[in-house]
Amino acid sequence: PKKFNCIIGSDLLYNSRESYEPLLNTIQQHLHPDGTVILSVRWRKPELEREFFRKAEKLGIIFVNWKEFEECESFKGRCPARLNWSEYGNPESECSNEYFLKTNVSVGNVTKSLAAITEDDMECMNDEEYASFEEKQIQIYVAGYSAKKKGRKRDFDRIN
Protein backbone atom coordinates (compact mmCIF):
# COMPACT_ATOMS: atom_id res chain seq x y z
CA PRO A 1 0.00 0.00 0.00
CA LYS A 2 1.05 3.57 -0.66
CA LYS A 3 2.58 5.37 2.34
CA PHE A 4 1.76 9.00 3.14
CA ASN A 5 3.73 11.60 5.09
CA CYS A 6 0.52 13.07 6.51
CA ILE A 7 -2.87 11.57 7.28
CA ILE A 8 -5.60 13.99 8.36
CA GLY A 9 -8.85 12.95 10.02
CA SER A 10 -11.70 14.75 11.70
CA ASP A 11 -14.69 13.67 13.79
CA LEU A 12 -13.97 9.95 13.44
CA LEU A 13 -14.22 8.57 16.99
CA TYR A 14 -17.84 8.94 17.98
CA ASN A 15 -20.65 6.49 18.71
CA SER A 16 -18.88 3.21 18.12
CA ARG A 17 -15.79 1.22 19.02
CA GLU A 18 -16.33 -0.68 15.78
CA SER A 19 -14.54 2.03 13.78
CA TYR A 20 -11.37 2.03 15.91
CA GLU A 21 -9.72 -1.12 14.53
CA PRO A 22 -10.33 -0.21 10.85
CA LEU A 23 -9.08 3.34 11.47
CA LEU A 24 -5.94 2.10 13.21
CA ASN A 25 -5.37 -0.49 10.47
CA THR A 26 -5.64 2.26 7.85
CA ILE A 27 -3.13 4.40 9.75
CA GLN A 28 -0.72 1.47 10.08
CA GLN A 29 -1.02 0.53 6.41
CA HIS A 30 -0.66 4.03 5.01
CA LEU A 31 1.41 6.14 7.43
CA HIS A 32 5.03 6.51 6.39
CA PRO A 33 7.40 5.57 9.26
CA ASP A 34 8.36 9.25 9.56
CA GLY A 35 4.83 10.47 8.87
CA THR A 36 2.35 12.39 10.98
CA VAL A 37 -1.32 11.92 11.74
CA ILE A 38 -3.42 15.01 12.47
CA LEU A 39 -6.68 14.10 14.17
CA SER A 40 -9.41 16.51 15.21
CA VAL A 41 -11.59 15.05 17.96
CA ARG A 42 -14.98 16.35 19.00
CA TRP A 43 -15.37 14.59 22.32
CA ARG A 44 -18.82 13.08 22.94
CA LYS A 45 -18.23 9.98 25.07
CA PRO A 46 -14.70 10.46 26.40
CA GLU A 47 -14.36 7.14 28.23
CA LEU A 48 -15.29 5.26 25.08
CA GLU A 49 -13.23 7.49 22.79
CA ARG A 50 -10.09 7.25 24.96
CA GLU A 51 -10.06 3.55 24.09
CA PHE A 52 -8.98 4.50 20.55
CA PHE A 53 -5.89 6.27 21.89
CA ARG A 54 -5.01 3.38 24.23
CA LYS A 55 -5.21 0.96 21.30
CA ALA A 56 -3.08 3.31 19.17
CA GLU A 57 -0.38 3.42 21.84
CA LYS A 58 -0.28 -0.38 21.98
CA LEU A 59 0.52 -0.24 18.26
CA GLY A 60 3.27 2.35 18.82
CA ILE A 61 1.21 5.27 17.49
CA ILE A 62 1.53 8.10 20.00
CA PHE A 63 -1.00 10.96 20.01
CA VAL A 64 -0.14 14.26 21.72
CA ASN A 65 -1.71 17.71 21.80
CA TRP A 66 -0.77 19.78 18.78
CA LYS A 67 1.06 22.53 20.65
CA GLU A 68 1.70 24.71 17.59
CA PHE A 69 -2.05 24.84 16.94
CA GLU A 70 -2.88 25.54 20.58
CA GLU A 71 -0.34 28.38 20.70
CA CYS A 72 -1.18 29.88 17.29
CA GLU A 73 -2.43 33.44 17.79
CA SER A 74 -5.34 32.93 15.39
CA PHE A 75 -6.66 29.95 17.35
CA LYS A 76 -5.84 30.67 21.00
CA GLY A 77 -9.48 31.35 21.86
CA ARG A 78 -10.71 28.35 19.91
CA CYS A 79 -10.51 24.76 21.07
CA PRO A 80 -9.57 25.93 24.58
CA ALA A 81 -9.16 22.51 26.22
CA ARG A 82 -5.46 21.95 26.81
CA LEU A 83 -5.91 18.43 28.13
CA ASN A 84 -4.22 15.34 26.77
CA TRP A 85 -6.44 12.52 25.57
CA SER A 86 -6.14 10.56 28.83
CA GLU A 87 -7.36 13.57 30.83
CA TYR A 88 -10.26 14.91 28.74
CA GLY A 89 -13.57 14.03 30.39
CA ASN A 90 -11.85 11.72 32.86
CA PRO A 91 -13.56 12.14 36.25
CA GLU A 92 -10.31 11.11 37.96
CA SER A 93 -8.41 13.97 36.32
CA GLU A 94 -8.34 17.13 38.42
CA CYS A 95 -7.47 19.33 35.44
CA SER A 96 -10.36 17.87 33.41
CA ASN A 97 -12.82 18.42 36.25
CA GLU A 98 -11.56 21.98 36.58
CA TYR A 99 -11.95 22.56 32.84
CA PHE A 100 -15.57 21.37 32.86
CA LEU A 101 -16.46 23.37 35.96
CA LYS A 102 -14.74 26.63 34.94
CA THR A 103 -15.49 26.65 31.21
CA ASN A 104 -18.80 28.35 30.53
CA VAL A 105 -21.24 28.49 27.65
CA SER A 106 -24.51 30.32 27.17
CA VAL A 107 -27.89 28.64 27.00
CA GLY A 108 -30.61 31.09 26.09
CA ASN A 109 -28.37 33.90 27.39
CA VAL A 110 -27.90 32.09 30.74
CA THR A 111 -24.29 31.16 31.56
CA LYS A 112 -23.64 27.55 32.58
CA SER A 113 -20.52 25.47 33.08
CA LEU A 114 -19.83 22.67 30.60
CA ALA A 115 -20.32 20.25 33.49
CA ALA A 116 -23.89 21.47 33.98
CA ILE A 117 -25.04 21.25 30.35
CA THR A 118 -27.85 18.75 29.70
CA GLU A 119 -29.41 17.38 26.52
CA ASP A 120 -32.31 19.79 27.10
CA ASP A 121 -29.85 22.70 27.31
CA MET A 122 -28.35 21.74 23.96
CA GLU A 123 -31.83 21.73 22.42
CA CYS A 124 -32.41 25.27 23.72
CA MET A 125 -29.14 26.74 22.38
CA ASN A 126 -29.26 29.11 19.43
CA ASP A 127 -26.80 28.51 16.58
CA GLU A 128 -24.12 30.79 18.01
CA GLU A 129 -24.38 29.24 21.49
CA TYR A 130 -24.24 25.73 20.07
CA ALA A 131 -21.19 26.54 17.93
CA SER A 132 -19.40 27.87 21.02
CA PHE A 133 -20.40 24.77 23.01
CA GLU A 134 -19.08 22.48 20.26
CA GLU A 135 -15.82 24.37 19.89
CA LYS A 136 -15.03 23.94 23.57
CA GLN A 137 -15.09 20.16 23.12
CA ILE A 138 -12.78 19.92 20.13
CA GLN A 139 -9.11 19.12 20.33
CA ILE A 140 -6.50 18.54 17.68
CA TYR A 141 -3.85 15.89 18.21
CA VAL A 142 -0.80 14.89 16.22
CA ALA A 143 0.69 11.42 16.16
CA GLY A 144 3.52 9.42 14.78
CA TYR A 145 5.25 6.16 15.50
CA SER A 146 7.10 5.96 18.80
CA ALA A 147 10.89 5.62 19.02
CA LYS A 148 10.47 2.03 20.21
CA LYS A 149 8.50 1.23 17.07
CA LYS A 150 11.02 3.01 14.81
CA GLY A 151 14.25 2.48 16.72
CA ARG A 152 15.11 6.18 17.11
CA LYS A 153 14.09 9.30 19.04
CA ARG A 154 10.93 11.10 17.99
CA ASP A 155 8.97 14.11 19.29
CA PHE A 156 5.84 11.97 19.70
CA ASP A 157 7.50 10.09 22.55
CA ARG A 158 7.10 13.17 24.75
CA ILE A 159 3.64 12.47 26.14
CA ASN A 160 2.14 15.60 27.73
Side-chain angles (χ1 to χ4, degrees), residues 26-45:
T26 298
I27 292 170
Q28 284 185 293
Q29 288 178 1
H30 295 286
L31 184 63
H32 186 278
D34 291 321
T36 300
V37 176
I38 301 172
L39 181 63
S40 174
V41 177
R42 188 326 195 158
W43 293 97
R44 289 172 179 82
K45 298 178 182 173

Side-chain angles (χ1 to χ4, degrees), residues 63-79:
F63 282 87
V64 297
N65 294 56
W66 189 6
K67 293 295 183 193
E68 292 83 2
F69 173 79
E70 291 178 350
E71 295 167 2
C72 176
E73 204 56 47
S74 301
F75 291 98
K76 276 191 176 179
R78 301 180 74 183
C79 308

Side-chain angles (χ1 to χ4, degrees), residues 32-149:
H32 186 278
D34 291 321
T36 300
V37 176
I38 301 172
L39 181 63
S40 174
V41 177
R42 188 326 195 158
W43 293 97
R44 289 172 179 82
K45 298 178 182 173
E47 185 54 44
L48 173 71
E49 294 152 350
R50 281 193 298 274
E51 186 176 318
F52 168 82
F53 295 101
R54 287 190 287 270
K55 287 179 181 237
E57 283 199 349
K58 286 180 182 174
L59 298 172
I61 303 166
I62 308 300
F63 282 87
V64 297
N65 294 56
W66 189 6
K67 293 295 183 193
E68 292 83 2
F69 173 79
E70 291 178 350
E71 295 167 2
C72 176
E73 204 56 47
S74 301
F75 291 98
K76 276 191 176 179
R78 301 180 74 183
C79 308
R82 302 294 188 256
L83 306 168
N84 67 44
W85 64 262
S86 64
E87 295 170 324
Y88 192 95
N90 184 344
E92 296 176 12
S93 168
E94 188 175 315
C95 54
S96 178
N97 293 333
E98 183 177 329
Y99 177 74
F100 279 87
L101 289 170
K102 291 186 175 181
T103 301
N104 295 315
V105 294
S106 293
V107 180
N109 296 318
V110 174
T111 301
K112 289 188 165 193
S113 73
L114 280 179
I117 297 296
T118 65
E119 293 286 330
D120 288 340
D121 290 330
M122 289 187 281
E123 294 289 325
C124 294
M125 291 177 180
N126 64 37
D127 290 345
E128 186 177 311
E129 291 169 339
Y130 190 76
S132 174
F133 169 75
E134 285 283 300
E135 198 168 70
K136 288 174 173 51
Q137 297 181 82
I138 295 172
Q139 289 186 280
I140 300 179
Y141 297 99
V142 293
Y145 288 109
S146 71
K148 291 176 189 169
K149 179 88 173 166

